[in-house]
Amino acid sequence: MTPIQMVDLKKQYLQIKPEIDAAVQGVLDSCAFINGKPVQDFAGHLSQYLGVKHVIPCANGTDALQIALMALGLQPGDEVITPSFTYIATTEVIALLKLKPVFVEVDQQTFCIAPDAIEKAITPRTKAIVPVHLYGQAANMEAIMNLAKKHNLYVVEDNAQAIGSDFTFSNGEKKKTGTIGTIGCTSFFPSKNLGCYGDGGAIFTNDDHLAAQLKMIANHGQRVKYYHDVVGCNSRLDTIQAAILDIKLKKLDDYIGARQKVADFYNKAFAGHPNITTPFTAGYTTHVFHQYTLILNDADRDALHNFLAAAGVPSMIYYPVPAHRQKMFDSFEGDSYQLPVTDWLTERVISLPIHTEMEAEQLTLITTKVLEFFKH
Ligand SMILES: *Cc1c(COP(=O)(O)O)cnc(C)c1O
């Protein structure tokens, strides 16, 4: 048995090494390190896969979110509604742009932003909602889009954890996460479901005008070289990363299938356990299991983490401190927020290893050890 890791990038690489090495060598031979052909090739393939008109590659997922918000022409102090239970990047870029993050609750079962909490937080200054498809399943995008329409708000989807997930509307129509809102954002950080071998990200939209704005902002605000229309930034996906992603995109659905099998195995092993709530998947979404996250009931989470670690089983807390309790947001009166569901989840979640190359023996060891912990 291979030692267990939360994500085993090495093992996955070894499976696809000849293709990857050839693609990287191709970029080295061309020396087109910036904006080489693979960048546009990959963007085209990703737009086909997602069924979205425009894919704008950029340097990382945080930049994707920042550029998306910059393209909407918001004014300092405009309010942006976002979950507190997320990775910090989602909320950080809002504050960085001098907008006001307004933290709201998540649904206790799905871990994603709760539409009724969004509605309560809407004020005349609200301009946008940033839902996060946390751990790999979609937030309730139908309800969110209805609210957005009703109150004339933009929706920027943080799809860093759910690329490939399908959302089904009540009329039966299906769309990929990240293609439903005004703009979608993703990250190709190595451990993400579609990860490269460095940093990378992308922005999606079906709106031609916004696509042009996004492209311009990511490229120093220029449409014509050396003529700069707006203050932008420098955010590019490099050619080597694009060449790697173009290969891994073809395998994404298989990779998702492998993750779902791992989740099934865990779900069966823990079904009905009094101390363990297994992940709930809402009926409107598929789950691509970027993380496999349990809620512990009546259990000492640190003790479980340490017990597993001693047996060679890693586990992680995503995330130990919700955004509204981060020092970073002191000036936004993070402490004044009452988010009991977020706090409750923060104290009880624990994520188990999940990736595309897990071995049967590893899964058996992990589930055996978790169950053994509760027998003490
Ligand atoms: C990873 C991640 C990001 C940021 O992506 P980077 O490429 O690391 O900048 C943003 N939001 C969520 C939810 C993420 O998981």
Side-chain angles (χ1 to χ4, degrees), residues 83-103:
S84 177
F85 193 71
T86 180
Y87 180 57
I88 197 67
T90 319
T91 57
E92 182 185 32
V93 295
I94 298 170
L96 183 74
L97 296 172
K98 304 275 183 261
L99 306 169
K100 184 182 175 198
V102 175
F103 303 111

Side-chain angles (χ1 to χ4, degrees), residues 59-65 86-91 132-135 158-162 185-192 198-201 290-291 319:
N60 56 67
T62 309
D63 274 12
L65 290 160
T86 180
Y87 180 57
I88 197 67
T90 319
T91 57
V132 182
H133 306 312
L134 202 72
Y135 301 152
D158 183 342
N159 197 33
Q161 300 192 0
C185 299
T186 204
S187 163
F188 304 124
F189 187 81
S191 64
K192 298 285 154 82
D199 274 309
H290 175 59
Q291 299 299 346
Y319 298 91

